[in-house]
Amino acid sequence: MVRDFWLTSRISWRSPIRRRAAAFASWLLPCAELFLPVTPARAREPQFALSIPAGPIGGSLSALSQATGASVGMAGALPQFHAPPLRGSMGVAAALRRLLAGSGWRAVQVGASAYRIERAPQTARRPATPEAREPAEAIVPGPPLTPDIVVTGQKRALLLQDVAMSVSIVPLDGQVSSRFATSSRDLSLSVEGLAVTNLGPGRNRQFIRGVADSPFNGPSQSTVAVQLDEVRITFDAPDPDIRLVDMERVEILKGPQGPLYGSGALGGIYHMVSRKPDLTATSGSMRIISEAVEHGSPGAGGEAVLNLPLVADSLAVRGVGYVTRSGGWIDNLGRNRNANVTQSSGGRLAARWQPDPDWTIDLSGVVQNMNSKDSQYVTASDETVHRNARVPEPTDNDFKSAAATIQGRIGAFDLLATTSYVDHRVGYQLDSSDASEQFGLRGQSTYRDDRKYTILNHELRLSPAGSSLWLAGLSFMQARSHNEASMSSAMTTVAVESLDRKITEFAAFGELTMPLIAAVKATAGARLFRSIAEDEAVEQAGGSSDRIVKTFLSPSLAVSWTPGKRSILYLRYARGLRPGGLAPLGQSVSRRFDSDELGTFDLGIRHTLPGSSLSLGASLFHTSWSHIQSDYLLPNGLISTRNAGKGRIYGIETTAEWRPLTGVTLSAGGSYLHARLVSTEAGLEVDDRRLPIAPDATGRLAAQYDFALGSWATSLSAQANYVGRSRLTFDENLDREMGNYTTASLAAFLRRNRVTIGARIDNLLDVKGDSFAFGNPFSIARAPQYTPLRPRTFTLSLARTW
């Protein structure tokens, strides 16, 4: 499920399912109680370290929501009065009582973290005595509230209803549908416009709204920037596929994000937001997972999270660790079965120090190692999971990052300074026997590719305290990549290529929101940056080097109309670009590929009907893309880069969510995309050359039913996805079709006190389909290649929190 715009995803079924759920629970629930005894004691309300200045009540409530994640709302307009400051550690209810004290209003809890503002009853109050205790507020049933969603992908906390661009939010904390979402491919089924290749774990590329240049992992910069909190973790590397454990949410910002993120980010931003250390309470969780893949091998895994305050209300650490083994399902005939087993292990460690209420220092580190024992493509058809493989094709993906962020208040301004470093290494092996002769080898040969990517980033940002009207910043980034490739036979090893690339960027950026007329405002942004690209290539034919220095300006402008708190109509235009570079092993006269530029118009609307029972969203977009940088296959199977020409993209996305009954949520989404290469770099018009990877149409239907099964809180959900047709590449020789399939999944979660039991079935009907028409560059010209969908998979989990 995805929370698109301000949509809240809760999900699914009606009461006839209860009988089957009860039968399932009759034997599963006692097992949980046997191994994980639970206590009926109610956990105390979480405490938060708050520092909210005095000001209008509306701003104070927004700041409280941002700091705690609580939802606070009311029917009609908020009252207008001045709220007192909040300083110290307290729960949400206590904070609301202080903010509303003496105002004639009160907050009534209507959900686990939702509160409704209403008139306080006019009752006589007796004088307080030292012995008197404040009575606990009763939880009064009321209509569900749509919580305010905070977006941080624009480098400051903004309420989503104020964001004049297309954004999708996937909540990962407490949402049923996302509890087994561990990768970007899982999330792509819940986000309109997000497409992900399927070369294999740790080797995939992401594309948003058809801004796709190539399915191959060449030297060109990614069109989607992957961000973890304040850290940019990709530049020209594939998606490291960080496991989504103990994450709050993922934000997908659609359209060019050059003004805030610099070069690349032509299609948008994939922003992961982790849970931060809690300064007030010790907590933790453990989860055990097991899976069974039909026609394949079993898998298992475990996750653990520990939050530990070291100094009350001042210093805390939070650690995450996980180990998983995903079962394989591709059989190599005559060699081994279920060859494509993937093992992952990793963790995150974060520390937060708050020396005083106005300043926070965050330190964090991430380590993840991912190893796949073999590739996952076949050559016969997408109906089979068998292939004849001469040699194994393993992949190794090792990722490390470290970051430090300081943020606080200086006078009337909020300051944020962050420094991060990423070390990402990807190595893989391929059967290159079909290309042996082109490299002077005979018979069976193996190709080995080892890559190292590093990113060093410093950024300084300034904004007005308690306001998001403007933002200004300076940044420095240096991205390096080194690639060593060789080919070996029984007696000989040949060095194929060595490529070094360094991109250095200095930038000044900013964004400003200005009111125009009633309920209409404009948001303008710009980034001025200087890019220095240095390339050096060493190949069989010799060596070469290049240096390109350019100064760019990336602008954006949005106009929005917000007639009410839950409605926005916006029109946004933004530009983005990627610097040029040196093409390795190019066959053209010029070895250089030029910078490409992209501009997008986005017209969108988001609206929630009175009562918050129905929410709707739609977006129309048009993109013009010149000098497209594209990685392409040479006749010998190696990958180079060129400017392919001019592209044009237009499309529409729609989303809807409806809560017709208590506990029932229905949601749907769909997209249509027309993405074409319209002319070559020489200006020659071409016919029906589709831009790669992105399907022409997608559809999503989901439902969830939340109810009580005895003493267990139960959620049942179902989801169906249609993935339309797409093409592998606009190269005439490899213009293979893929996609055009429908999958379904079912899930059930039962929770009581601190125990949660989960069960899920993916690819419920065991649908066959080609998810990616590529696997090996050295043999794809000889025969089609297919990547079959993962067969029906059963997953069970048992979790305990404390």
Side-chain angles (χ1 to χ4, degrees), residues 393-414:
E393 297 182 339
T395 299
D396 181 25
N397 187 304
D398 298 333
F399 178 88
K400 301 180 183 68
S401 74
T405 301
I406 302 174
Q407 53 187 324
R409 183 166 301 173
I410 299 179
F413 301 99
D414 286 334

Side-chain angles (χ1 to χ4, degrees), residues 32-49:
E33 293 177 337
L34 178 63
F35 291 100
L36 294 174
V38 297
T39 60
R42 185 177 177 180
R44 71 184 182 93
E45 183 185 15
Q47 303 292 294
F48 300 91

Side-chain angles (χ1 to χ4, degrees), residues 524-598:
R527 186 183 190 97
L528 179 66
F529 62 99
R530 186 172 180 81
S531 173
I532 304 171
E534 301 172 80
D535 296 277
E536 183 175 349
V538 178
E539 305 146 8
Q540 286 182 301
S544 58
S545 62
D546 199 7
R547 188 174 189 267
I548 303 173
V549 181
K550 284 193 174 183
T551 301
F552 300 99
L553 178 67
S554 288
S556 67
L557 177 63
V559 178
S560 61
W561 176 47
T562 53
K565 184 179 179 182
R566 295 302 184 190
S567 299
I568 184 172
L569 175 68
Y570 61 87
L571 174 64
R572 180 178 186 261
Y573 175 77
R575 292 191 64 81
L577 56 88
R578 295 182 291 181
L582 181 67
L585 300 166
Q587 294 186 322
S588 59
V589 175
S590 173
R591 291 291 304 277
R592 177 184 289 189
F593 58 92
D594 295 328
S595 303
D596 57 352
E597 297 188 41
L598 178 149

Side-chain angles (χ1 to χ4, degrees), residues 333-349:
L333 299 178
R335 191 163 59 84
N336 60 332
R337 297 189 59 200
N338 306 321
N340 62 317
V341 171
T342 298
Q343 295 178 332
S344 301
S345 61
R348 301 195 310 274
L349 182 63

Side-chain angles (χ1 to χ4, degrees), residues 454-493:
T454 62
I455 304 174
L456 175 64
N457 191 76
H458 306 283
E459 190 163 291
L460 180 69
R461 302 200 295 263
L462 195 68
S463 60
S467 172
S468 57
L469 292 180
W470 61 264
L471 170 76
L474 300 171
S475 76
F476 167 83
M477 183 192 69
Q478 189 172 87
R480 292 175 177 263
S481 59
H482 176 72
N483 177 26
E484 291 280 353
S486 63
M487 193 175 290
S488 59
S489 60
M491 302 295 293
T492 308
T493 297

Side-chain angles (χ1 to χ4, degrees), residues 32 48 96 143 170 181-182 220 264 268 275 278 320-321 343 357 396 482 518 610 636 646 702 706 720 752 773 777 788:
F48 300 91
L96 287 169
V170 183
T182 59
S220 64
R275 294 184 64 83
D278 183 351
V320 178
Q343 295 178 332
D396 181 25
H482 176 72
N636 60 9
K646 182 178 181 179
D706 299 324
R752 191 174 77 180

